[in-house]
Amino acid sequence: MLIREAGIIFHGIPIIFISYHRASKSQTNLVCSSGLMSGLLSFAECLMEPVEYFESDKYSIIFKKGTIKDLFRDVQEIVAFIVLDKDYRLEKYLKKSILPLLEKFLKRFISHFDGSNLTKVGQFEPFKQSLTKIFGTGTQTFEEKVISLLS
């Protein structure tokens, strides 16, 4: 399963986002996409809870919620997500590897930025390197994995 995109959303705004392989060829507005994703998640959770993922014909979007204290020590909800290529094995790996990976991502983010001003998005930029370390080879296509093994 190829990880295409990952990030954290705070009140519908992407506070950290990284794209390994764009899920769509056209340029999309990241703020609008994150707002829509957040709205869909909120709507779905009104009907059923918890929502772990959405699937489309090509992609799966997996969510993991967490809480973080902001600058004023108020507890805020954040949502970590990853966009994967759709794979029939998703159910098999969801609880075993994908959700623990998102949990690790969320915990590391919270430990780094607990008590921060969540509206100053620029401070999260260096954390993107941690994302790539956490997700590892899941961000590489088959061809990229072969090339890295051969070099």
Side-chain angles (χ1 to χ4, degrees):
M1 288 182 259
L2 180 65
I3 297 174
R4 296 206 167 258
E5 300 172 2
I8 293 184
I9 300 172
F10 170 65
H11 294 295
I13 299 167
I15 58 174
I16 188 166
F17 176 82
I18 192 162
S19 176
Y20 298 105
H21 307 277
R22 293 289 305 166
S24 76
K25 295 191 188 303
S26 63
Q27 284 289 18
T28 57
N29 184 319
L30 181 58
V31 174
C32 289
S33 298
S34 298
L36 178 62
M37 193 181 323
S38 181
L40 286 171
L41 183 60
S42 294
F43 174 73
E45 286 184 337
C46 287
L47 300 174
M48 64 192 131
E49 196 168 326
V51 174
E52 292 178 327
Y53 65 94
F54 292 129
E55 274 190 319
S56 72
D57 289 342
K58 294 182 180 182
Y59 306 107
S60 299
I61 305 170
I62 296 90
F63 301 98
K64 182 74 177 162
K65 286 187 170 185
T67 58
I68 189 170
K69 289 182 183 167
D70 66 10
L71 181 66
F72 305 106
R73 308 308 290 163
D74 293 331
V75 176
Q76 301 289 340
E77 184 178 83
I78 56 176
V79 179
F81 71 92
I82 55 175
V83 178
L84 303 168
D85 284 343
K86 185 174 178 178
D87 192 313
Y88 68 93
R89 302 172 297 171
L90 179 64
E91 283 293 325
K92 179 180 177 182
Y93 290 106
L94 187 65
K95 300 244 188 279
K96 188 165 59 170
S97 58
I98 297 171
L99 287 175
L101 194 64
L102 266 178
E103 181 74 27
K104 182 178 180 180
F105 168 38
L106 205 50
K107 282 183 179 179
R108 191 168 294 173
F109 181 84
I110 291 167
S111 71
H112 276 76
F113 298 107
D114 195 45
S116 296
N117 184 348
L118 299 175
T119 60
K120 295 194 177 198
V121 180
Q123 69 183 324
F124 307 122
E125 196 66 29
F127 189 75
K128 287 183 179 182
Q129 293 173 343
S130 296
L131 280 178
T132 305
K133 288 178 186 173
I134 292 169
F135 296 139
T137 59
T139 62
Q140 296 176 333
T141 63
F142 178 73
E143 293 81 16
E144 291 169 337
K145 288 177 187 177
V146 170
I147 290 168
S148 69
L149 289 173
L150 295 175
S151 56

